[in-house]
């Protein structure tokens, strides 16, 4: 079936450094790619998303890139801060009701 | 701001018990979802509903059922709880055609002993 692979599972960076999380999807019909952030004990929240007709999207310190040919998409966080520490989930959707999630990346930002 | 409320934050049940997990959203969203979150497996879709009294199976529906009698409320039912159903359960909702933009509840951590 369809799946989304996410790497790395754990990422530790120094405050101020950049962090990159990578995902690969299998269903070539996927056209919507959201990223969710889940802080400890809290609900997952959408932080950025991208559609398949766009190659890159930025929102302040976060950006997402999409390579449709390779079926890869990535989350980039620049100038990381301790409050960026959380679990990040990538996901892929074909526009229907089923969103396929990656396994998650636990990001630690060390002060 | 969309609010998705799950009735219990933590729940402890015994094997074989019937368990109800309740979810209410206050933004008049048409679509509601139940996910299960397990370490290393991400979020997996159990069931979803796109209208009152309508329900569709997700990727892991075995051992679960759902009920949607009112637009704002979506219930997950474990007919006979088993230890392998110990997990974090997340409810989500989304609006109409923007069905893929999910708003999540805070989750219910269910332990089945």
């Amino acid at each position: 079936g369809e799946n989304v692979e996410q790497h790395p599972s754990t990422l530790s960076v120094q405050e101020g450094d950049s962090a990159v999380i990578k995902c690969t999807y299998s269903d070539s019909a996927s056209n919507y790619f959201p990223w969710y952030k889940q802080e400890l004990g809290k609900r997952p929240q959408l932080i950025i998303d991208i559609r398949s007709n766009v190659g890159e999207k930025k929102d302040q310190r976060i950006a997402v890139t999409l390579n449709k040919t390779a079926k890869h998409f990535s989350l980039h966080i620049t100038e990381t801060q301790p409050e960026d520490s959380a679990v990040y989930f990538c996901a892929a959707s074909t526009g229907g009701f089923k969103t396929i999630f990656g396994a998650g990346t636990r990001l630690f930002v060390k002060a | 701001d969309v609010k998705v409320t799950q009735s219990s934050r933590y729940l402890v049940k015994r094997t074989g018990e019937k368990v109800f997990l309740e979810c209410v959203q206050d933004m008049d969203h048409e679509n509601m979802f139940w996910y299960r979150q397990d370490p290393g497996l991400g979020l997996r879709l159990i069931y979803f509903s796109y209208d009152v009294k309508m329900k569709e199976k997700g990727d892991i529906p075995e051992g679960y059922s759902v009920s949607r009698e009112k637009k704002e409320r979506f219930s997950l039912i474990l007919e006979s709880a088993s230890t392998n159903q110990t997990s974090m359960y997340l409810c989500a909702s989304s609006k109409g055609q923007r069905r893929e933009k999910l708003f999540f509840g805070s989750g219910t951590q269910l332990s089945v002993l």
Side-chain angles (χ1 to χ4, degrees):
Chain A
E2 298 87 354
N3 76 303
V4 173
E5 291 189 5
Q6 182 171 349
H7 299 282
S9 57
T10 306
L11 180 59
S12 184
V13 300
Q14 205 67 37
E15 183 178 1
D17 287 352
S18 295
V20 180
I21 302 169
K22 298 183 178 182
C23 291
T24 304
Y25 60 98
S26 61
D27 189 349
S28 55
S30 298
N31 56 18
Y32 176 71
F33 306 91
W35 286 86
Y36 289 85
K37 175 184 180 182
Q38 186 178 29
E39 295 177 48
L40 192 62
K42 296 192 175 178
R43 70 192 72 202
Q45 289 194 291
L46 180 70
I47 55 170
I48 195 167
D49 55 13
I50 191 168
R51 295 198 178 271
S52 58
N53 57 350
V54 174
E56 184 176 355
K57 184 177 179 181
K58 276 187 180 179
D59 183 3
Q60 297 182 31
R61 295 187 298 108
I62 60 173
V64 58
T65 58
L66 171 65
N67 181 332
K68 281 195 310 182
T69 305
K71 291 194 263 186
H72 288 169
F73 59 113
S74 301
L75 179 72
H76 304 252
I77 307 174
T78 58
E79 300 171 25
T80 53
Q81 300 167 6
E83 52 264 38
D84 295 327
S85 295
V87 178
Y88 292 81
F89 293 98
C90 64
S93 167
T94 59
F97 290 98
K98 292 189 179 183
T99 298
I100 307 297
F101 285 82
T105 296
R106 187 172 295 276
L107 174 65
F108 296 97
V109 180
K110 296 177 284 186
Chain B
D1 196 23
V2 176
K3 195 155 189 190
V4 181
T5 303
Q6 294 183 231
S7 55
S8 304
R9 186 74 179 96
Y10 298 97
L11 214 49
V12 180
K13 296 292 181 181
R14 295 214 174 271
T15 303
E17 276 193 79
K18 190 168 186 176
V19 182
F20 292 87
L21 303 184
E22 306 287 345
C23 176
V24 177
Q25 49 93 7
D26 66 357
M27 286 301 290
D28 201 36
H29 281 180
E30 289 79 8
N31 313 309
M32 296 189 75
F33 307 79
W34 276 105
Y35 282 87
R36 172 177 169 156
Q37 181 179 10
D38 298 290
L41 296 177
L43 282 68
R44 293 178 293 165
L45 181 63
I46 304 171
Y47 267 95
F48 64 94
S49 168
Y50 52 86
D51 201 353
V52 176
K53 296 196 186 294
M54 303 306 290
K55 58 186 178 184
E56 295 284 344
K57 293 180 180 178
D59 298 316
I60 52 163
E62 296 78 18
Y64 303 95
S65 63
V66 291
S67 172
R68 193 161 180 206
E69 296 297 318
K70 293 185 177 181
K71 188 176 184 179
E72 67 270 19
R73 187 178 297 269
F74 193 35
S75 303
L76 180 68
I77 303 155
L78 287 66
E79 293 290 341
S80 178
S82 63
T83 54
N84 62 13
Q85 292 178 310
T86 291
S87 187
M88 170 67 79
Y89 290 88
L90 288 165
C91 176
S93 71
S94 68
K95 178 119 186 104
Q97 294 300 312
R98 300 307 305 277
R99 56 177 71 107
E100 69 271 270
K101 205 157 207 169
L102 300 171
F103 295 87
F104 283 93
S106 296
T108 295
Q109 178 63 52
L110 173 66
S111 296
V112 183
L113 307 178

